[in-house]
Amino acid sequence: MTNTRFALITGASSGIGEACAVELAKKGKNLILLARRAEKLESLKSTLVKEYGVEVLVHVVDLVNIYEIESFFKGIADRDVDVLINNAGLALSKTPFEDYKWEDFDQMINVNIKAFTRVAQLAIPHLKKTKGHIVNISSIAGIEAYEGGSVYCASKAFVKMISKALRIDLIGTGVRVTDIAPGNVETEFSMVRFKGDREVADSIYKGYAPLSAKDIADTIVFALSRPENVNIEYLLIMPTAQASATRTHKV
Ligand code: 8X3
């Protein structure tokens, strides 16, 4: 990891994205951080610049708008990006398929599938130039469907399969592709899914030790720091007390 190169992180203002920004900054990595929330990005930037002396560029991008993604990439055309952490994604609600609000399906498809795909596509020329590394964040939901999870689970299966396809399409370029699939990580994820219902959101993480965003970020830093001939292709990471998407031992 050299100093003129940048790691690009989507969904960088909280959770796994923010933790990746922190852990990479600790390693001296320059960062390009994307999110919707300007204040959170600015405050993260000032902490990272002060604490670790890295260069941090922040961009407020609404990933639902593909034109904003395209215009962002035009703006960083002369930057050397050698890491993409394609992290932005969300679940909205946990509801039987037929009762789901279309707007929730639409939002998940827009962010988890469409934006995810366009970001990866536009990052690839950078990564080919730098022989870089794409880290896609999927989920245990990408390999196990569960009640009320329909489109969210399907969107994460999409991430898993695109990751595999990218490995094939990028073979011979030196670009590495890693799919990190977390289980229960205590972040804003559940507050977003349950639309601000703190009690329900907290109940997801009660009675056992869930993963922290840092646990995932540490693993990502490990994958990124392997020698060039080593591609960690897929890692499923769960709390010790979680054995499947629907089986968590709580006390
Ligand atoms: C987050 C984990 O099990 O809530 O992707 O889908 S889960």
Side-chain angles (χ1 to χ4, degrees), residues 138-141 146 152 182-184 189 193 242 245:
S138 66
S139 167
I140 189 173
Y146 52 78
Y152 178 70
N184 285 349
F189 176 85
R193 168 172 256 178
Q242 183 181 14

Side-chain angles (χ1 to χ4, degrees), residues 83-87 133-137 178-180 220 224:
V83 172
L84 166 64
I85 303 188
N86 208 354
N87 160 71
H133 198 146
I134 305 179
V135 179
N136 292 327
I137 307 300
T178 297
D179 172 6
I180 298 287
I220 290 170
L224 290 173

Side-chain angles (χ1 to χ4, degrees), residues 42 51 58 79 175 186 196 210 213:
E42 287 298 342
E51 297 279 322
V58 298
R79 298 284 179 180
V175 177
E186 187 165 15

